[in-house]
Amino acid sequence: MAKSSIYELNGTVPVAQAIPFGLQHVLAMFVSNITPIIILAGIVGVDPALQGALIQNCMIIAGIGTLIQLYPVWRVGAKLPIVMGISFTFLSLAIFVGTTMGMGTLMGAVIIGGIVEGILGLFVKYWIKLVPPIVAATVVTAIGFSLLPIGANSFAGGQGAADFGAAHNWIVGSVTLVTCLLCQVFGRGFFRSLSVLVGLVVGYVLSLCMGMVDYSALHGVGVVSLPKFLPFKPEFNLGAILSVIAIFMVSATETIGDTSALCAGALKRPVTNKELGGSIACDGFVSTIAGLFGCTPITSFSQNVGLAAMSGVVNRFAIATGAMIMILGGVFPAVGVILTTIPQAVLGGCTIMMFGSILFAGFGMMAKCGFENRNMLIVSISLSVGLGFTSASQMFDIFPQIIKTIFAENCVAVVFVLAVLLNLLLPRNMDKAGA
């Protein structure tokens, strides 16, 4: 019989104990999960009533994807505590396709692209040698670096917010972060593992006292609402499909990094090819389901990987309670609306430390690979070019639109491509040759 522990992958945990840990994972990613569809629907001009239905669909799809990762269906799913959500990686391309070709064309491309990625996951053993440990470590580190500006923007109130960088955001974000830190330093047992939830509650109460929480969106919200199937009629355009497939390859890279980071940081062991394949297959096939419900593709959420590494909570059942909360939030709109009232500054204060833990996991993976000259070249060139060039994205203006879409603002994609190429091209015996 499995040991009863919240820190055991398959430990038996009482529901009352599992719920707060599952809720902590939902709160860590909730706003990020629904933000891509809110931005896309607003720019494309989707009817406001339909926008609400799409947000509900995103929550349900995220919950379903998370459950499949936790409890695989055949070879689809990693059997790991991976939390899934709507990916930001596809947002710029989704906006381009949605505005120029229509949402139906976008959904058709998502449906086909998801099938392609899913099949790649099923046959991962034939190509995963292209991603050895040093490449995976470099990608994980790039993911950590890429998340830091997201946490900082949330801390300041959310990018584009009218009160961005205002004093009240600094106060709330700082109190939230300090609370999380104090729980980590002085907390014991479950209290330490729930540090993010404790920080979020303290930050939320403080922001409520400061008048930063708005409940107006609750007015007129129905009790129950079923998901809307095929809100857009799928149409299939070869150019759109090829473009979306290219981004799916980037998403698969991020999933490899997230799954590797989870195993290294939270489970303290290397990832297996079976886990990588199941994780990628879930990414793809659930993204196809997402397209049928009018959502953009789904992927693993790095902030939840950071949360698992920081808290040590990897119990599948506990994370599954979070997935069920997401599904309930989609079926009962009021639940989702209440969660959207959490101020960005509170989320920023919670996520800063979590994102740093992903960086730490990447550094740990690099240390295990060794610091030979060959590894140093792969890591240093990939990260410096990937992080540096994408911070000056205008450099990519001379390239075709599809190249700009994939690489201009996605440092993880650039880092991955460079790391793979350098690993293939650099001599294997260069360190011995230089001795």
Side-chain angles (χ1 to χ4, degrees):
M1 184 176 176
K3 183 182 178 181
S4 175
S5 174
I6 205 78
Y7 308 105
E8 297 276 340
L9 191 65
N10 301 307
T12 55
V13 178
V15 174
Q17 190 183 93
I19 287 176
F21 290 98
L23 180 62
Q24 180 173 242
H25 272 276
V26 174
L27 296 176
M29 56 77 70
F30 180 78
V31 172
S32 296
N33 178 54
I34 63 175
T35 298
I37 201 67
I38 292 174
I39 295 172
L40 174 64
I43 293 176
V44 175
V46 175
D47 180 79
L50 183 54
Q51 287 188 33
L54 293 179
I55 291 173
Q56 290 178 242
N57 286 359
C58 287
M59 295 175 65
I60 293 171
I61 292 296
I64 291 172
T66 302
L67 286 176
I68 292 175
Q69 287 284 25
L70 295 165
Y71 301 99
V73 177
W74 185 49
R75 290 162 55 194
V76 181
K79 205 173 182 180
L80 292 173
I82 297 172
V83 177
M84 305 291 284
I86 304 301
S87 173
F88 270 98
T89 305
F90 293 81
L91 184 57
S92 59
L93 178 61
I95 291 170
F96 175 75
V97 174
T99 52
T100 59
M101 304 180 191
M103 290 293 287
T105 301
L106 173 60
M107 293 306 132
V110 169
I111 291 168
I112 300 300
I115 293 173
V116 171
E117 188 192 16
I119 293 172
L120 277 176
L122 296 179
F123 295 95
V124 71
K125 66 179 181 180
Y126 296 106
W127 57 269
I128 196 59
K129 290 182 180 179
L130 293 173
V131 190
I134 189 60
V135 173
T138 308
V139 171
V140 169
T141 305
I143 290 173
F145 276 120
S146 71
L147 289 170
L148 295 181
I150 296 175
N153 279 319
S154 291
F155 190 98
Q159 193 167 20
D163 61 349
F164 187 84
H168 57 265
N169 287 324
W170 274 95
I171 293 170
V172 169
S174 298
V175 169
T176 304
L177 175 59
V178 170
T179 302
C180 294
L181 180 60
L182 290 175
C183 287
Q184 279 288 308
V185 174
F186 299 107
R188 295 290 181 270
F190 293 154
F191 188 70
R192 171 183 287 180
S193 300
L194 285 171
S195 61
V196 172
L197 182 59
V198 173
L200 191 144
V201 170
V202 170
Y204 189 83
V205 171
L206 176 60
S207 58
L208 189 64
C209 296
M210 296 175 67
M212 297 170 60
V213 180
D214 181 13
Y215 292 112
S216 61
L218 278 170
H219 298 311
V221 173
V223 178
V224 178
S225 179
L226 297 178
K228 188 175 180 62
F229 184 67
L230 287 179
F232 308 104
K233 182 181 177 181
E235 300 175 14
F236 302 96
N237 176 283
L238 182 59
I241 290 171
L242 292 176
S243 298
V244 170
I245 287 175
I247 306 296
F248 265 112
M249 299 304 99
V250 177
S251 179
T253 302
E254 294 174 339
T255 299
I256 290 171
D258 285 342
T259 309
S260 301
L262 177 70
C263 289
L267 299 178
K268 311 300 181 186
R269 64 168 175 79
V271 68
T272 67
N273 286 353
K274 181 179 179 182
E275 289 166 338
L276 285 176
S279 184
I280 295 168
C282 181
D283 249 30
F285 291 129
V286 177
S287 291
T288 293
I289 297 173
L292 295 173
F293 284 89
C295 301
T296 48
I298 195 171
T299 191
S300 56
F301 262 42
S302 300
Q303 51 262 59
N304 295 87
V305 173
L307 177 57
M310 190 176 76
S311 67
V313 176
V314 294
N315 183 264
R316 289 192 297 155
F317 178 72
I319 311 302
T321 62
M324 293 305 301
I325 291 171
M326 283 192 279
I327 294 173
L328 289 174
V331 176
F332 298 95
V335 176
V337 172
I338 290 173
L339 292 177
T340 62
T341 64
I342 301 171
Q344 282 285 326
V346 176
L347 295 171
C350 291
T351 55
I352 287 290
M353 194 160 56
M354 289 171 7
F355 294 162
S357 68
I358 295 176
L359 268 179
F360 186 78
F363 295 152
M365 293 168 69
M366 287 181 190
K368 290 180 180 178
C369 294
F371 296 99
E372 293 84 2
N373 191 47
R374 186 176 187 276
N375 288 346
M376 183 275 292
L377 289 175
I378 292 173
V379 173
S380 60
I381 294 175
S382 299
L383 288 177
S384 59
V385 173
L387 296 171
F389 284 22
T390 53
S391 67
S393 57
Q394 296 87 347
M395 293 174 60
F396 291 85
D397 287 348
I398 66 169
F399 294 101
Q401 183 62 44
I402 187 171
I403 299 297
K404 290 172 60 180
T405 299
I406 297 171
F407 296 111
E409 296 181 6
N410 193 332
C411 71
V412 176
V414 179
V415 168
F416 172 71
V417 171
L418 283 175
V420 169
L421 289 176
L422 288 168
N423 179 66
L424 292 173
L425 296 175
L426 290 177
R428 299 283 172 182
N429 61 347
M430 62 178 295
D431 293 290
K432 291 181 181 179

